[in-house]
């Protein structure tokens, strides 16, 4: 009777489901980044929440975002992506190189926070017209590259008139934008993933990386990943970057969870990088000098493992590692319910299964 009285169309008895319930996940292209974001290598970023990838220039933010778009459109053949872009950095051939079906991407160049707010809201209002049953397959993915590069109307007017004053309205406008779209994203089951800049805080003895844009992204994002990098070499050759991913905020995994992923200049984002280290940590694979012994008894060099990872990281082995990662990354109360939203079959493996692989 209370529900009828208040007349809120989005209200519900929780046992019937609620606005914002997880509908699925977006594969990041890296098993470990998936696990850091969701607790499981087979999941990833939530596909109906706001998420942020933050870091310095050249760290791989856009690279990861494009990989996620490709995975999303592959998973949902009738889905569409609306790509808001403020850096004039994207090209059609780059997107095609990531395996993105560019016929299902609407590219929207924007300059100001006001444009993002009004046009993102218009996109969501148009998508709301799609029948709810059709939205299950005809999903929508909103993204922005990048939030840190957006200006405001005031800043542009000041620059045009030659005024050298700081724009104090930007953080409020960004916060307003996130307030306006957050509920609609949850109701419609639409993910919004943005890249963002960082700055170093000055309020402590040891400066910490902070995301730009004020409190709007910080409060409304379900996931905030801060990225940093170091060079990866093969002998003396510089072959890529190891990207350190720290979960600055997560509503799924423990705060401060960290993993390293590899972006190789030749082969792109490595799906399996780092998994071997956790397999050794959990005692599933044994490190024997420069070789690694798998449950089958086979002893292999590390380079050979990553040269042909599918041969060694078989599904049964990955499930065992994934179970251990859940124990490591998830809050206890969340772990109890993780399998309820999993797209895959229930994991019935146990430690005793290691000998059967």
């Amino acid at each position: 009777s209370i529900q009828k009285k208040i007349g809120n169309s989005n209200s519900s008895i929780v046992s019937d489901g609620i606005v914002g319930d997880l509908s699925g996940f977006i594969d990041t292209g890296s098993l470990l980044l998936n696990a850091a974001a969701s607790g499981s290598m087979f999941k990833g970023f939530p596909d109906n929440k706001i998420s942020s990838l933050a870091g310095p220039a050249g760290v791989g933010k856009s690279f990861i975002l494009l990989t996620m778009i490709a995975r999303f459109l592959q998973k949902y053949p009738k889905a569409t992506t609306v790509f808001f872009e403020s850096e004039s950095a994207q090209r059609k051939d780059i997107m095609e190189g990531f395996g993105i079906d560019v016929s299902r991407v609407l590219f929207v160049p924007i300059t100001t926070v006001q444009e993002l707010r009004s046009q993102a809201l218009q996109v969501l209002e148009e998508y709301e017209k799609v029948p709810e049953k059709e939205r299950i397959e005809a999903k929508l993915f909103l993204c922005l590259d990048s939030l840190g590069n957006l200006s405001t109307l005031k800043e542009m007017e000041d620059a045009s008139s030659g005024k050298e004053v700081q724009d104090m309205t930007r953080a409020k406008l960004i916060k307003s934008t996130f307030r306006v779209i957050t509920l609609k994203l949850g109701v419609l089951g639409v993910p919004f993933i943005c890249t963002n800049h960082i700055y170093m805080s000055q309020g402590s003895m040891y400066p910490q990386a902070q995301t730009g844009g004020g409190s709007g992204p910080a409060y409304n994002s379900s996931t905030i990943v801060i990225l940093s990098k170091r060079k990866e070499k093969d002998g003396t050759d510089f072959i890529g970057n190891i990207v350190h991913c720290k979960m600055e905020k997560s509503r799924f995994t423990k705060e401060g969870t960290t993993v390293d992923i590899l972006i190789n200049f030749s082969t792109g984002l490595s799906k399996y990088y780092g998994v071997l280290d956790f397999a050794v940590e959990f005692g599933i694979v044994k490190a024997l000098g420069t070789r690694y012994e798998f449950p089958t008894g086979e002893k292999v060099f590390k380079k050979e493992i990553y040269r042909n990872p599918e041969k060694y990281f078989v599904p049964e082995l990955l499930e065992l590692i994934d179970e251990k990662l859940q124990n490591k990354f998830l809050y206890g109360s969340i772990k109890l319910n993780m399998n309820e939203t999993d797209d895959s079959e229930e994991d019935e493996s146990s430690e005793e299964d290691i000998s059967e692989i």
Side-chain angles (χ1 to χ4, degrees):
S1 63
I2 294 173
Q3 184 182 12
K4 292 179 181 178
K5 181 68 176 178
I6 62 177
N8 186 331
S9 60
N10 293 320
S11 66
S12 63
I13 307 301
V14 175
S15 58
D16 297 330
I18 62 175
V19 168
D21 265 351
L22 284 175
S23 55
F25 295 87
I26 305 173
D27 182 7
T28 66
S30 162
L31 292 176
L32 283 191
L33 185 53
N34 285 349
S38 66
S40 172
M41 294 189 294
F42 308 121
K43 294 181 178 178
F45 281 34
D47 73 354
N48 61 347
K49 308 287 184 185
I50 296 174
S51 302
S52 300
L53 295 164
V59 75
K61 303 182 295 295
S62 300
F63 197 105
I64 296 171
L65 177 59
L66 290 172
T67 301
M68 294 174 69
I69 293 172
R71 300 278 179 167
F72 183 86
L73 294 179
Q74 290 164 9
K75 182 177 180 179
Y76 301 106
K78 296 182 180 180
T80 301
T81 296
V82 177
F83 193 118
F84 292 102
E85 210 259 8
S86 66
E87 297 185 336
S88 297
Q90 293 301 329
R91 303 198 311 264
K92 176 185 174 183
D93 59 325
I94 291 177
M95 290 190 173
E96 290 175 333
F98 277 82
I100 295 173
D101 180 357
V102 294
S103 68
R104 291 190 283 142
V105 178
L106 176 64
F107 186 74
V108 186
I110 56 174
T111 305
T112 67
V113 179
Q114 287 93 334
E115 286 178 311
L116 172 66
R117 182 175 60 184
S118 63
Q119 293 177 29
L121 187 58
Q122 289 168 358
V123 168
L124 292 172
E125 288 174 347
E126 189 66 21
Y127 185 62
E128 197 170 13
K129 298 175 183 178
V130 177
E132 187 173 353
K133 290 183 178 180
E134 292 183 24
R135 292 203 298 263
I136 295 173
E137 292 186 351
K139 290 182 72 65
L140 176 67
F141 182 178
L142 295 187
C143 60
L144 167 65
D145 190 19
S146 72
L147 179 64
N149 204 51
L150 286 179
S151 182
T152 66
L153 290 175
K154 183 181 184 306
E155 184 178 37
M156 296 184 69
E157 290 169 0
D158 288 344
S160 180
S161 60
K163 293 181 181 179
E164 297 294 335
V165 294
Q166 186 175 359
D167 182 7
M168 304 301 292
T169 67
R170 185 172 181 275
K172 291 182 179 179
L173 285 168
I174 291 175
K175 190 171 185 178
S176 169
T177 300
F178 279 82
R179 279 200 304 262
V180 167
I181 67 172
T182 296
L183 179 59
K184 275 200 172 292
L185 292 170
V187 170
L188 298 174
V190 175
F192 178 72
I193 299 179
C194 66
T195 65
N196 199 359
H197 300 171
I198 61 169
Y199 65 94
M200 301 308 293
S201 64
Q202 302 299 321
S204 63
M205 183 179 298
Y206 302 102
Q208 300 290 322
Q210 302 288 332
T211 57
S215 61
Y219 281 109
N220 289 280
S221 295
S222 289
T223 304
I224 299 176
V225 189
I226 292 186
L227 310 174
S228 58
K229 70 177 181 180
R230 69 179 188 272
K231 294 180 179 180
E232 171 74 351
K233 290 185 176 182
D234 184 2
T236 59
D237 295 330
F238 181 26
I239 63 169
N241 289 317
I242 303 295
V243 181
H244 183 69
C245 307
K246 178 184 178 183
M247 306 306 297
E248 183 70 12
K249 178 183 178 183
S250 176
R251 291 181 174 148
F252 306 93
T253 54
K254 296 174 184 175
E255 179 184 349
T257 293
T258 61
V259 296
D260 287 346
I261 64 176
L262 171 64
I263 297 179
N264 186 287
F265 293 152
S266 300
T267 58
L269 183 61
S270 171
K271 177 179 179 178
Y272 295 95
Y273 182 84
V275 174
L276 180 61
D277 295 331
F278 281 106
V280 172
E281 178 184 329
F282 300 145
I284 298 172
V285 174
K286 297 178 182 178
L288 304 174
T290 58
R291 294 194 298 173
Y292 295 84
E293 183 179 2
F294 281 75
T296 57
E298 187 175 2
K299 300 178 179 66
V300 194
F301 290 105
K302 190 173 187 176
K303 279 191 175 182
E304 176 58 28
I305 295 169
Y306 283 116
R307 190 176 290 119
N308 190 12
E310 287 83 3
K311 176 181 176 181
Y312 301 101
F313 295 118
V314 295
E316 296 87 353
L317 183 65
L318 288 177
E319 287 173 3
L320 291 172
I321 299 170
D322 195 60
E323 182 180 347
K324 297 292 186 180
L325 284 172
Q326 289 186 32
N327 290 329
K328 186 178 181 70
F329 290 164
L330 289 175
Y331 293 104
S333 58
I334 296 179
K335 181 181 182 300
L336 295 174
N337 298 287
M338 272 294 288
N339 289 331
E340 293 183 9
T341 57
D342 196 347
D343 296 330
S344 60
E345 295 181 1
E346 184 178 355
D347 181 10
E348 298 178 350
S349 61
S350 64
E351 294 185 10
E352 287 74 18
D353 295 330
I354 296 177
S355 61
E356 299 176 5
I357 297 176

